[in-house]
């Protein structure tokens, strides 16, 4: 019990020092993201642009937060 408390205190200090709203204990860059408006997963948000004629990926953008502006773009 004392060991768990110490572990969480260390995590709390890391969170404060990072300036981020959350940290991940499994992947330093991943964050808890809302997927399809209902499920929370530790992951990344990947946006891709695809060439309509050839169906090739022409651009990508990866972030570690939900970005509602990106979802609303055509």
């Amino acid at each position: 019990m004392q060991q768990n408390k110490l572990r969480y205190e260390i995590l709390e200090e890391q969170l404060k020092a990072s300036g981020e709203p959350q940290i991940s204990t499994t992947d330093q860059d991943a964050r808890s993201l809302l997927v399809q408006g209902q499920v929370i997963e530790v992951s990344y948000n990947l946006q891709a642009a695809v060439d309509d004629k050839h169906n090739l990926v022409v651009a990508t953008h990866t972030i570690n937060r939900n970005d509602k502006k990106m979802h609303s773009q055509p």
Side-chain angles (χ1 to χ4, degrees), residues 27-40:
D27 182 338
Q28 181 172 313
D29 296 321
R31 297 292 179 267
S32 295
L33 300 177
L34 190 59
V35 179
Q36 296 181 352
Q38 16 183 348
V39 179
I40 295 177

Side-chain angles (χ1 to χ4, degrees), residues 34-60:
L34 190 59
V35 179
Q36 296 181 352
Q38 16 183 348
V39 179
I40 295 177
E41 293 182 359
V42 176
S43 59
Y44 298 92
N45 184 348
L46 175 71
Q47 303 294 320
V50 179
D51 174 273
D52 193 36
K53 182 177 179 182
H54 304 301
N55 294 325
L56 298 172
V57 175
V58 294
T60 62

